[in-house]
Amino acid sequence: MSLTPQLLVVKDLSTTFDTPAGPLAAVGGVSFDLNQNETMGIVGESGSGKTVLARTVMGLQPRSKVTVSGSVLLNGFEVVGASDVEKQKIWGLQVAMIFQDPMTSLNPVMRIGRQIDEILRVRLGMDRHAAKARAIELLELVGIPSPAERYHVFPGQLSGGMRQRVVIATALAGSPQLLLADEPTTGLDVTIQAQILNLLDEIKERMKMSVILVTHDLGVVATRTSRLIVMYAGRIVEMGSTRDVFVNHRMPYTRALLDGSPKVSNPSHTRLLAIPGRPPNLLKLPPGCSFAPRCSFATDRCHKERPELQPANTPGHTFACWNPLPTNRGASA
Ligand SMILES: Nc1ncnc2c1ncn2[C@@H]1O[C@H](COP(=O)(O)OP(=O)(O)OP(=O)(O)O)[C@@H](O)[C@H]1O
Ligand code: SF4
Ligand SMILES: [Mg+2]
């Protein structure tokens, strides 16, 4: 047995939706792993498959109208192909997810404390009294002032930032080892965003969790992740340490994403700038590199053959490109 087992091992994972217009390849051939207590970022344009990937890792895709292949091993549990009954053993307890829209995660007509202690009672088998005490502790942990009083309020009585703290408390109720945070600060103002992200960092350290942070905000991933996955058209096109991806990226799409963004040493909250051209139609992916129609480095080969991920100079850094950018450009960055 390895001394530092990987918490998550994803291999050749694909998620294809059966749509009236034909099969839509939302995630294709994705492989990566995640260590314990690590924060990994996933970045990419809108529609690149970040949410579908996170939901597939969690095992949340419905069985009908979707085909999932490959493997997601979470602490030795195979998520792909598991029944909902089997997945109940890991949902909330080993893996939890914070969704893009916090309002959909909370029941608007149920008091917030009850929403947390219901999880504790149903999933952890706590009695009513213990669950209430733990729910108040969790509200305190996520920085809700006067948690015993706030236990009784409804989600609509809280600000957006406070609601997102409640969502985090709900996700943490079962002490999961992996937290999937999908754009956890969407719709919040910049100061509140920073508070929520700092809170996630603190809790990750305190609970020794691993976190996958899906975001458009390059400032967020620059400072809060150790490794980064860059997605385009449902595939990983570059992956490596956050520093390598920021300063030694080889893939022109990664450069396009990062253009105008800050250096790792001086990050700020910069959102992705729009890249000229449109992402490909996932119902009809081109045979070669999906980025070719938008890439100023594209050659004939790019339009005909798809580049697979290949190793860069640094261990763990991979990229998919026939005409990669030169190395060591960022040695002094
Ligand atoms: N249930 C579904 N049925 C059909 N297609 C879907 C479904 N869910 C997602 N898709 C498609 O899969 C692709 C990837 O979507 P996804 O939501 O993962 O993108 P994303 O990278 O999270 O984008 P954003 O940054 O806007 O959140 C998109 O083309 C989307 O339209
Ligand atoms: S493979 Fe070709 S089209 Fe794709 S990113 Fe590299 S140079 Fe551009
Ligand atoms: Mg998304």
Side-chain angles (χ1 to χ4, degrees), residues 88 93 105-107 109-136 138 151 169-170 173-174:
Q88 293 289 343
L93 305 175
S105 313
L106 295 173
N107 181 342
V109 297
M110 194 172 177
R111 296 177 198 278
I112 60 166
R114 293 301 295 277
Q115 301 198 37
I116 301 172
D117 73 28
E118 191 171 88
I119 298 171
L120 295 165
R121 281 189 289 132
V122 175
R123 310 303 312 283
L124 298 182
M126 285 187 178
D127 67 37
R128 214 183 180 96
H129 189 72
K132 181 172 180 184
R134 178 68 184 143
I136 292 171
L138 282 163
Y151 176 94
T170 313

mmCIF file of all heavy atoms in Angstrom, residues 88 93 105-107 109-136 138 151 169-170 173-174:
data_model
loop_
_atom_site.group_PDB
_atom_site.id
_atom_site.type_symbol
_atom_site.label_atom_id
_atom_site.label_comp_id
_atom_site.label_asym_id
_atom_site.label_seq_id
_atom_site.Cartn_x
_atom_site.Cartn_y
_atom_site.Cartn_z
ATOM 1 N N GLN A 88 -24.909 6.756 -2.291
ATOM 2 C CA GLN A 88 -25.316 7.391 -1.018
ATOM 3 C C GLN A 88 -24.243 7.210 0.051
ATOM 4 O O GLN A 88 -24.143 7.982 0.985
ATOM 5 C CB GLN A 88 -26.619 6.767 -0.494
ATOM 6 C CG GLN A 88 -27.857 7.036 -1.335
ATOM 7 C CD GLN A 88 -28.329 8.474 -1.260
ATOM 8 O OE1 GLN A 88 -27.938 9.203 -0.357
ATOM 9 N NE2 GLN A 88 -29.130 8.883 -2.213
ATOM 10 N N LEU A 93 -20.412 12.312 2.466
ATOM 11 C CA LEU A 93 -19.516 11.743 3.463
ATOM 12 C C LEU A 93 -18.069 11.691 2.962
ATOM 13 O O LEU A 93 -17.127 11.897 3.723
ATOM 14 C CB LEU A 93 -19.979 10.331 3.847
ATOM 15 C CG LEU A 93 -21.440 10.264 4.318
ATOM 16 C CD1 LEU A 93 -21.861 8.833 4.570
ATOM 17 C CD2 LEU A 93 -21.636 11.101 5.576
ATOM 18 N N SER A 105 -29.159 25.206 -4.157
ATOM 19 C CA SER A 105 -28.659 24.227 -3.182
ATOM 20 C C SER A 105 -29.443 24.276 -1.879
ATOM 21 O O SER A 105 -29.322 23.383 -1.061
ATOM 22 C CB SER A 105 -27.199 24.503 -2.835
ATOM 23 O OG SER A 105 -26.460 24.721 -3.985
ATOM 24 N N LEU A 106 -30.177 25.365 -1.652
ATOM 25 C CA LEU A 106 -30.901 25.489 -0.390
ATOM 26 C C LEU A 106 -32.399 25.461 -0.656
ATOM 27 O O LEU A 106 -32.865 25.982 -1.670
ATOM 28 C CB LEU A 106 -30.529 26.806 0.312
ATOM 29 C CG LEU A 106 -29.074 26.929 0.772
ATOM 30 C CD1 LEU A 106 -28.792 28.335 1.281
ATOM 31 C CD2 LEU A 106 -28.747 25.903 1.844
ATOM 32 N N ASN A 107 -33.116 24.874 0.263
ATOM 33 C CA ASN A 107 -34.577 24.863 0.163
ATOM 34 C C ASN A 107 -35.099 26.186 0.749
ATOM 35 O O ASN A 107 -34.894 26.462 1.935
ATOM 36 C CB ASN A 107 -35.093 23.663 0.972
ATOM 37 C CG ASN A 107 -36.593 23.545 0.914
ATOM 38 O OD1 ASN A 107 -37.280 24.507 0.564
ATOM 39 N ND2 ASN A 107 -37.094 22.376 1.243
ATOM 40 N N VAL A 109 -37.919 27.254 1.633
ATOM 41 C CA VAL A 109 -38.986 27.254 2.641
ATOM 42 C C VAL A 109 -38.610 26.450 3.883
ATOM 43 O O VAL A 109 -39.461 26.102 4.701
ATOM 44 C CB VAL A 109 -40.336 26.750 2.055
ATOM 45 C CG1 VAL A 109 -40.828 27.688 0.962
ATOM 46 C CG2 VAL A 109 -40.214 25.325 1.518
ATOM 47 N N MET A 110 -37.332 26.158 4.044
ATOM 48 C CA MET A 110 -36.909 25.393 5.219
ATOM 49 C C MET A 110 -35.862 26.197 5.972
ATOM 50 O O MET A 110 -34.960 26.778 5.351
ATOM 51 C CB MET A 110 -36.304 24.074 4.737
ATOM 52 C CG MET A 110 -36.110 23.038 5.784
ATOM 53 S SD MET A 110 -35.617 21.514 4.915
ATOM 54 C CE MET A 110 -35.348 20.447 6.283
ATOM 55 N N ARG A 111 -35.992 26.255 7.290
ATOM 56 C CA ARG A 111 -35.018 27.015 8.101
ATOM 57 C C ARG A 111 -33.617 26.424 7.894
ATOM 58 O O ARG A 111 -33.474 25.206 7.764
ATOM 59 C CB ARG A 111 -35.408 26.959 9.577
ATOM 60 C CG ARG A 111 -36.743 27.645 9.840
ATOM 61 C CD ARG A 111 -37.157 27.532 11.306
ATOM 62 N NE ARG A 111 -38.577 27.806 11.430
ATOM 63 C CZ ARG A 111 -39.108 29.032 11.481
ATOM 64 N NH1 ARG A 111 -38.320 30.090 11.448
ATOM 65 N NH2 ARG A 111 -40.402 29.201 11.567
ATOM 66 N N ILE A 112 -32.601 27.338 7.889
ATOM 67 C CA ILE A 112 -31.267 26.871 7.470
ATOM 68 C C ILE A 112 -30.708 25.800 8.417
ATOM 69 O O ILE A 112 -30.083 24.843 7.975
ATOM 70 C CB ILE A 112 -30.261 28.043 7.299
ATOM 71 C CG1 ILE A 112 -30.079 28.818 8.595
ATOM 72 C CG2 ILE A 112 -30.654 28.943 6.156
ATOM 73 C CD1 ILE A 112 -28.867 29.736 8.568
ATOM 74 N N GLY A 113 -30.941 25.974 9.689
ATOM 75 C CA GLY A 113 -30.408 24.998 10.648
ATOM 76 C C GLY A 113 -30.976 23.613 10.399
ATOM 77 O O GLY A 113 -30.264 22.605 10.436
ATOM 78 N N ARG A 114 -32.281 23.578 10.084
ATOM 79 C CA ARG A 114 -32.929 22.285 9.833
ATOM 80 C C ARG A 114 -32.352 21.616 8.593
ATOM 81 O O ARG A 114 -32.272 20.396 8.514
ATOM 82 C CB ARG A 114 -34.448 22.467 9.674
ATOM 83 C CG ARG A 114 -35.152 22.906 10.935
ATOM 84 C CD ARG A 114 -34.964 21.917 12.078
ATOM 85 N NE ARG A 114 -35.586 20.624 11.791
ATOM 86 C CZ ARG A 114 -36.873 20.342 11.968
ATOM 87 N NH1 ARG A 114 -37.670 21.261 12.486
ATOM 88 N NH2 ARG A 114 -37.355 19.180 11.646
ATOM 89 N N GLN A 115 -31.940 22.456 7.605
ATOM 90 C CA GLN A 115 -31.372 21.885 6.376
ATOM 91 C C GLN A 115 -30.050 21.188 6.682
ATOM 92 O O GLN A 115 -29.712 20.177 6.084
ATOM 93 C CB GLN A 115 -31.160 22.969 5.320
ATOM 94 C CG GLN A 115 -32.454 23.645 4.974
ATOM 95 C CD GLN A 115 -32.433 24.416 3.668
ATOM 96 O OE1 GLN A 115 -31.810 24.012 2.699
ATOM 97 N NE2 GLN A 115 -33.145 25.528 3.640
ATOM 98 N N ILE A 116 -29.304 21.755 7.638
ATOM 99 C CA ILE A 116 -28.027 21.119 7.993
ATOM 100 C C ILE A 116 -28.290 19.916 8.881
ATOM 101 O O ILE A 116 -27.745 18.831 8.665
ATOM 102 C CB ILE A 116 -27.085 22.125 8.688
ATOM 103 C CG1 ILE A 116 -26.828 23.317 7.765
ATOM 104 C CG2 ILE A 116 -25.776 21.453 9.077
ATOM 105 C CD1 ILE A 116 -26.076 24.443 8.395
ATOM 106 N N ASP A 117 -29.155 20.077 9.893
ATOM 107 C CA ASP A 117 -29.282 18.941 10.802
ATOM 108 C C ASP A 117 -30.061 17.773 10.199
ATOM 109 O O ASP A 117 -29.897 16.638 10.613
ATOM 110 C CB ASP A 117 -29.688 19.327 12.228
ATOM 111 C CG ASP A 117 -31.110 19.758 12.424
ATOM 112 O OD1 ASP A 117 -31.982 19.333 11.673
ATOM 113 O OD2 ASP A 117 -31.323 20.514 13.369
ATOM 114 N N GLU A 118 -30.806 18.043 9.121
ATOM 115 C CA GLU A 118 -31.422 16.911 8.417
ATOM 116 C C GLU A 118 -30.333 15.990 7.831
ATOM 117 O O GLU A 118 -30.426 14.769 7.916
ATOM 118 C CB GLU A 118 -32.310 17.438 7.287
ATOM 119 C CG GLU A 118 -33.162 16.336 6.701
ATOM 120 C CD GLU A 118 -34.206 16.866 5.740
ATOM 121 O OE1 GLU A 118 -33.898 16.993 4.540
ATOM 122 O OE2 GLU A 118 -35.321 17.158 6.203
ATOM 123 N N ILE A 119 -29.296 16.611 7.260
ATOM 124 C CA ILE A 119 -28.188 15.804 6.706
ATOM 125 C C ILE A 119 -27.535 15.000 7.827
ATOM 126 O O ILE A 119 -27.239 13.809 7.697
ATOM 127 C CB ILE A 119 -27.119 16.714 6.057
ATOM 128 C CG1 ILE A 119 -27.744 17.485 4.896
ATOM 129 C CG2 ILE A 119 -25.908 15.905 5.592
ATOM 130 C CD1 ILE A 119 -26.842 18.557 4.332
ATOM 131 N N LEU A 120 -27.326 15.671 8.953
ATOM 132 C CA LEU A 120 -26.642 15.003 10.071
ATOM 133 C C LEU A 120 -27.469 13.830 10.610
ATOM 134 O O LEU A 120 -26.925 12.782 10.956
ATOM 135 C CB LEU A 120 -26.367 16.017 11.184
ATOM 136 C CG LEU A 120 -25.394 17.138 10.792
ATOM 137 C CD1 LEU A 120 -25.461 18.285 11.802
ATOM 138 C CD2 LEU A 120 -23.966 16.625 10.686
ATOM 139 N N ARG A 121 -28.775 14.024 10.630
ATOM 140 C CA ARG A 121 -29.632 12.952 11.164
ATOM 141 C C ARG A 121 -29.760 11.806 10.160
ATOM 142 O O ARG A 121 -29.567 10.646 10.500
ATOM 143 C CB ARG A 121 -31.019 13.504 11.524
ATOM 144 C CG ARG A 121 -30.975 14.245 12.872
ATOM 145 C CD ARG A 121 -32.337 14.617 13.374
ATOM 146 N NE ARG A 121 -32.884 15.693 12.558
ATOM 147 C CZ ARG A 121 -34.106 15.698 12.046
ATOM 148 N NH1 ARG A 121 -34.926 14.705 12.266
ATOM 149 N NH2 ARG A 121 -34.521 16.715 11.327
ATOM 150 N N VAL A 122 -30.043 12.187 8.893
ATOM 151 C CA VAL A 122 -30.278 11.134 7.895
ATOM 152 C C VAL A 122 -28.973 10.427 7.513
ATOM 153 O O VAL A 122 -28.914 9.199 7.433
ATOM 154 C CB VAL A 122 -30.955 11.736 6.637
ATOM 155 C CG1 VAL A 122 -31.104 10.692 5.542
ATOM 156 C CG2 VAL A 122 -32.308 12.320 7.011
ATOM 157 N N ARG A 123 -27.905 11.216 7.278
ATOM 158 C CA ARG A 123 -26.677 10.613 6.749
ATOM 159 C C ARG A 123 -25.771 10.077 7.844
ATOM 160 O O ARG A 123 -25.074 9.105 7.663
ATOM 161 C CB ARG A 123 -25.896 11.619 5.884
ATOM 162 C CG ARG A 123 -26.702 12.321 4.814
ATOM 163 C CD ARG A 123 -27.381 11.355 3.843
ATOM 164 N NE ARG A 123 -26.508 10.332 3.323
ATOM 165 C CZ ARG A 123 -25.598 10.507 2.379
ATOM 166 N NH1 ARG A 123 -25.482 11.679 1.822
ATOM 167 N NH2 ARG A 123 -24.840 9.524 1.965
ATOM 168 N N LEU A 124 -25.745 10.774 8.974
ATOM 169 C CA LEU A 124 -24.822 10.341 10.036
ATOM 170 C C LEU A 124 -25.536 9.673 11.204
ATOM 171 O O LEU A 124 -24.895 9.231 12.158
ATOM 172 C CB LEU A 124 -24.000 11.531 10.564
ATOM 173 C CG LEU A 124 -23.078 12.222 9.544
ATOM 174 C CD1 LEU A 124 -22.298 13.345 10.222
ATOM 175 C CD2 LEU A 124 -22.087 11.231 8.941
ATOM 176 N N GLY A 125 -26.853 9.647 11.136
ATOM 177 C CA GLY A 125 -27.618 8.957 12.177
ATOM 178 C C GLY A 125 -27.585 9.637 13.537
ATOM 179 O O GLY A 125 -27.800 8.995 14.575
ATOM 180 N N MET A 126 -27.324 10.957 13.552
ATOM 181 C CA MET A 126 -27.308 11.673 14.848
ATOM 182 C C MET A 126 -28.742 11.837 15.374
ATOM 183 O O MET A 126 -29.681 11.926 14.578
ATOM 184 C CB MET A 126 -26.718 13.069 14.674
ATOM 185 C CG MET A 126 -25.232 13.081 14.506
ATOM 186 S SD MET A 126 -24.689 14.815 14.519
ATOM 187 C CE MET A 126 -22.946 14.589 14.377
ATOM 188 N N ASP A 127 -28.878 11.915 16.690
ATOM 189 C CA ASP A 127 -30.214 12.217 17.210
ATOM 190 C C ASP A 127 -30.463 13.723 17.076
ATOM 191 O O ASP A 127 -29.548 14.504 16.800
ATOM 192 C CB ASP A 127 -30.411 11.696 18.643
ATOM 193 C CG ASP A 127 -29.545 12.429 19.646
ATOM 194 O OD1 ASP A 127 -29.350 13.659 19.486
ATOM 195 O OD2 ASP A 127 -29.047 11.793 20.598
ATOM 196 N N ARG A 128 -31.725 14.127 17.289
ATOM 197 C CA ARG A 128 -32.143 15.497 17.023
ATOM 198 C C ARG A 128 -31.313 16.517 17.798
ATOM 199 O O ARG A 128 -30.871 17.530 17.263
ATOM 200 C CB ARG A 128 -33.621 15.615 17.442
ATOM 201 C CG ARG A 128 -34.387 16.539 16.608
ATOM 202 C CD ARG A 128 -35.814 16.691 17.101
ATOM 203 N NE ARG A 128 -36.441 17.619 16.213
ATOM 204 C CZ ARG A 128 -37.171 17.253 15.165
ATOM 205 N NH1 ARG A 128 -37.403 15.993 14.912
ATOM 206 N NH2 ARG A 128 -37.691 18.175 14.378
ATOM 207 N N HIS A 129 -31.060 16.200 19.045
ATOM 208 C CA HIS A 129 -30.357 17.115 19.926
ATOM 209 C C HIS A 129 -28.900 17.310 19.475
ATOM 210 O O HIS A 129 -28.415 18.433 19.324
ATOM 211 C CB HIS A 129 -30.421 16.555 21.353
ATOM 212 C CG HIS A 129 -29.918 17.495 22.378
ATOM 213 N ND1 HIS A 129 -30.620 18.618 22.751
ATOM 214 C CD2 HIS A 129 -28.754 17.506 23.079
ATOM 215 C CE1 HIS A 129 -29.912 19.285 23.649
ATOM 216 N NE2 HIS A 129 -28.774 18.630 23.859
ATOM 217 N N ALA A 130 -28.233 16.192 19.209
ATOM 218 C CA ALA A 130 -26.820 16.252 18.779
ATOM 219 C C ALA A 130 -26.712 16.934 17.427
ATOM 220 O O ALA A 130 -25.784 17.723 17.185
ATOM 221 C CB ALA A 130 -26.245 14.836 18.707
ATOM 222 N N ALA A 131 -27.680 16.654 16.542
ATOM 223 C CA ALA A 131 -27.634 17.243 15.199
ATOM 224 C C ALA A 131 -27.781 18.760 15.283
ATOM 225 O O ALA A 131 -27.070 19.508 14.610
ATOM 226 C CB ALA A 131 -28.738 16.644 14.334
ATOM 227 N N LYS A 132 -28.678 19.221 16.152
ATOM 228 C CA LYS A 132 -28.864 20.667 16.270
ATOM 229 C C LYS A 132 -27.583 21.325 16.794
ATOM 230 O O LYS A 132 -27.136 22.348 16.274
ATOM 231 C CB LYS A 132 -30.047 20.978 17.192
ATOM 232 C CG LYS A 132 -30.273 22.468 17.309
ATOM 233 C CD LYS A 132 -31.532 22.833 18.043
ATOM 234 C CE LYS A 132 -31.630 24.357 18.096
ATOM 235 N NZ LYS A 132 -32.765 24.836 18.852
ATOM 236 N N ALA A 133 -26.979 20.705 17.799
ATOM 237 C CA ALA A 133 -25.748 21.273 18.370
ATOM 238 C C ALA A 133 -24.641 21.316 17.315
ATOM 239 O O ALA A 133 -23.918 22.303 17.168
ATOM 240 C CB ALA A 133 -25.305 20.433 19.574
ATOM 241 N N ARG A 134 -24.534 20.246 16.508
ATOM 242 C CA ARG A 134 -23.490 20.195 15.475
ATOM 243 C C ARG A 134 -23.791 21.207 14.355
ATOM 244 O O ARG A 134 -22.878 21.847 13.826
ATOM 245 C CB ARG A 134 -23.405 18.767 14.917
ATOM 246 C CG ARG A 134 -22.406 18.573 13.801
ATOM 247 C CD ARG A 134 -20.965 18.724 14.274
ATOM 248 N NE ARG A 134 -20.029 18.615 13.155
ATOM 249 C CZ ARG A 134 -18.917 19.320 13.030
ATOM 250 N NH1 ARG A 134 -18.573 20.188 13.959
ATOM 251 N NH2 ARG A 134 -18.127 19.165 11.997
ATOM 252 N N ALA A 135 -25.071 21.364 14.012
ATOM 253 C CA ALA A 135 -25.446 22.331 12.966
ATOM 254 C C ALA A 135 -25.029 23.744 13.402
ATOM 255 O O ALA A 135 -24.496 24.520 12.607
ATOM 256 C CB ALA A 135 -26.940 22.266 12.688
ATOM 257 N N ILE A 136 -25.241 24.055 14.671
ATOM 258 C CA ILE A 136 -24.861 25.388 15.171
ATOM 259 C C ILE A 136 -23.333 25.543 15.126
ATOM 260 O O ILE A 136 -22.814 26.580 14.722
ATOM 261 C CB ILE A 136 -25.454 25.626 16.579
ATOM 262 C CG1 ILE A 136 -26.992 25.733 16.454
ATOM 263 C CG2 ILE A 136 -24.869 26.874 17.237
ATOM 264 C CD1 ILE A 136 -27.750 25.742 17.768
ATOM 265 N N LEU A 138 -21.377 24.071 13.006
ATOM 266 C CA LEU A 138 -20.994 24.234 11.592
ATOM 267 C C LEU A 138 -21.269 25.659 11.127
ATOM 268 O O LEU A 138 -20.478 26.249 10.386
ATOM 269 C CB LEU A 138 -21.743 23.227 10.717
ATOM 270 C CG LEU A 138 -21.194 21.800 10.753
ATOM 271 C CD1 LEU A 138 -22.215 20.798 10.207
ATOM 272 C CD2 LEU A 138 -19.890 21.682 9.954
ATOM 273 N N TYR A 151 -29.761 29.902 13.136
ATOM 274 C CA TYR A 151 -30.236 28.531 12.893
ATOM 275 C C TYR A 151 -31.706 28.538 12.456
ATOM 276 O O TYR A 151 -32.130 27.731 11.641
ATOM 277 C CB TYR A 151 -30.059 27.741 14.192
ATOM 278 C CG TYR A 151 -30.577 26.325 14.178
ATOM 279 C CD1 TYR A 151 -29.728 25.258 13.877
ATOM 280 C CD2 TYR A 151 -31.903 26.045 14.500
ATOM 281 C CE1 TYR A 151 -30.198 23.958 13.874
ATOM 282 C CE2 TYR A 151 -32.383 24.743 14.493
ATOM 283 C CZ TYR A 151 -31.519 23.706 14.180
ATOM 284 O OH TYR A 151 -31.984 22.419 14.178
ATOM 285 N N ALA A 169 -21.501 25.158 4.799
ATOM 286 C CA ALA A 169 -21.750 24.395 6.032
ATOM 287 C C ALA A 169 -22.487 23.097 5.712
ATOM 288 O O ALA A 169 -22.175 22.025 6.256
ATOM 289 C CB ALA A 169 -22.559 25.231 7.023
ATOM 290 N N THR A 170 -23.454 23.188 4.794
ATOM 291 C CA THR A 170 -24.219 21.998 4.401
ATOM 292 C C THR A 170 -23.290 20.970 3.758
ATOM 293 O O THR A 170 -23.353 19.771 4.058
ATOM 294 C CB THR A 170 -25.323 22.397 3.389
ATOM 295 O OG1 THR A 170 -25.990 23.542 3.908
ATOM 296 C CG2 THR A 170 -26.327 21.314 3.171
ATOM 297 N N ALA A 173 -21.117 19.142 6.319
ATOM 298 C CA ALA A 173 -21.775 18.446 7.433
ATOM 299 C C ALA A 173 -21.265 17.019 7.600
ATOM 300 O O ALA A 173 -21.079 16.542 8.719
ATOM 301 C CB ALA A 173 -23.298 18.462 7.233
ATOM 302 N N GLY A 174 -21.026 16.314 6.499
ATOM 303 C CA GLY A 174 -20.580 14.915 6.600
ATOM 304 C C GLY A 174 -19.072 14.769 6.601
ATOM 305 O O GLY A 174 -18.573 13.673 6.374
#
